[in-house]
Amino acid sequence: IDVGEIAQQRLRACPYAILRSVNCRYHEGVLILHGEVPTFYMKQIAQTILRSLEQVQQIDNRLVVSS
């Protein structure tokens, strides 16, 4: 199974509904996050939820904070 898909599943299962719309792409050890979140805190939460994925060496958090 694709690491990007595993990341998507983790975010869909989290209690913060806004994070369920975040898109994840995985390429050569780097997990890239795309989308829009309302606060910097939510941007950090998304990263924290995905940090423990075994194959991920780096997270490229491209989430845009739209306040």
Side-chain angles (χ1 to χ4, degrees):
I1 190 164
D2 179 48
V3 177
E5 186 55 39
I6 294 169
Q8 293 277 175
Q9 288 172 2
R10 278 216 184 160
L11 290 176
R12 282 191 212 110
C14 87
Y16 300 103
I18 193 70
L19 295 183
R20 295 178 196 150
S21 63
V22 169
N23 292 309
C24 304
R25 234 176 355 107
Y26 178 77
H27 182 70
E28 295 180 359
V30 180
L31 185 65
I32 304 161
L33 308 183
H34 289 281
E36 212 172 281
V37 291
T39 63
F40 182 75
Y41 176 72
M42 282 293 130
K43 180 175 178 162
Q44 292 302 108
I45 289 291
Q47 195 166 310
T48 302
I49 288 170
L50 302 172
R51 188 178 297 142
S52 64
L53 283 172
E54 204 174 296
Q55 303 90 325
V56 175
Q57 292 147 23
Q58 183 183 341
I59 295 177
D60 183 356
N61 193 338
R62 298 181 186 178
L63 294 175
V64 175
V65 177
S66 62
S67 43

